[in-house]
Amino acid sequence: MICHSYNLFFDNFSNKTRIKIIESLILGPKSVTDICNMTKEEQSKVSHNLRNLKECHFLDVKKNGKQRIYSLNKGTVVPILKLVEKHVHKYCGEVCNKK
Amino acid sequence: MICHSYNLFFDNFSNKTRIKIIESLILGPKSVTDICNMTKEEQSKVSHNLRNLKECHFLDVKKNGKQRIYSLNKGTVVPILKLVEKHVHKYCGEVCNKK
DNA sequence: ACCATACATGAATTCTACATCATATGATTT
DNA sequence: AAATCATATGATGTAGAATTCATGTATGGT
């Protein structure tokens, strides 16, 4: 039986900005400013999106002075992305150039 | 390295109608009319959503007279849903009653 | 105490995906 | 070949999400 509110969780992956944020965090924890630099996205936009990801526990935060260090919940996020990656390679060839 | 168009795939899970369709197909292949009945959704809505799911190869179709029989790509879909299910139980308690 | 930095938050606007409605197509029956 | 059933498709309006802009808060430095 599937829970109908799972869509709330997948929302986090269905947005380019958030995928970029996740990508930037795969290598390791980062401050908001670092994330902005890596993703070339504005700070406000990043903060809003970090909030969504955090609400679903895909991200964790620690304070460090004025900085907030965000880290990825790799236990969940990485396996999910891996499954889609596998699926894409198997069925979808070079869909990656779309949009 | 994450492909930035993965959001296209996750879109399919970030929608209640499509989750309901997926749910209805877990037990086995079904015609569009059957899916409409199980999900209590209108035919046009269902067809539009089936299209999205099919485009990403999460679903497969066969013709049978006037009917189209849709079946789930369980190899991909089920493991993905399982991972989120696990995540929800671990981190989010009874979020399932939201919305 | 003041200013700068790092980040968050709220409101306003823009944008997009979805549902809806109407219509089209294709197969079957009579 | 007309009528009917099963499904798909196109166009449009709209709700909700995402971005943007302005401002707020917290921390640290001087």
Side-chain angles (χ1 to χ4, degrees), chain B residues 23-81:
Chain B
E23 182 178 21
S24 77
L25 288 172
I26 281 193
L27 301 167
K30 284 187 179 49
S31 71
V32 176
T33 304
D34 288 343
I35 295 169
C36 291
N37 291 333
M38 280 201 63
T39 59
K40 311 281 186 198
E41 302 282 357
E42 281 197 299
Q43 181 267 315
S44 172
K45 188 172 166 179
V46 168
S47 275
H48 279 297
N49 281 290
L50 284 170
R51 188 200 220 257
N52 297 329
L53 286 162
K54 204 186 65 179
E55 273 180 359
C56 284
H57 296 80
F58 289 131
L59 255 49
D60 205 26
V61 213
K62 278 186 281 186
K63 279 197 181 186
N64 177 32
K66 328 187 210 188
Q67 300 188 120
R68 310 275 171 107
I69 306 299
Y70 283 86
S71 57
L72 195 62
N73 180 348
K74 291 194 184 178
T76 300
V77 177
V78 172
I80 289 179
L81 290 171

Side-chain angles (χ1 to χ4, degrees), chain A residues 14-29:
Chain A
S14 68
N15 170 289
K16 288 213 177 194
T17 306
R18 288 196 284 276
I19 290 281
K20 284 171 81 177
I21 291 174
I22 289 171
E23 182 179 23
S24 77
L25 288 173
I26 280 195
L27 300 168

Side-chain angles (χ1 to χ4, degrees), chain A residues 31-33 43-44 47-48 68 70:
Chain A
S31 70
V32 176
T33 303
Q43 181 266 315
S44 171
S47 276
H48 278 297
R68 311 274 171 107
Y70 282 86

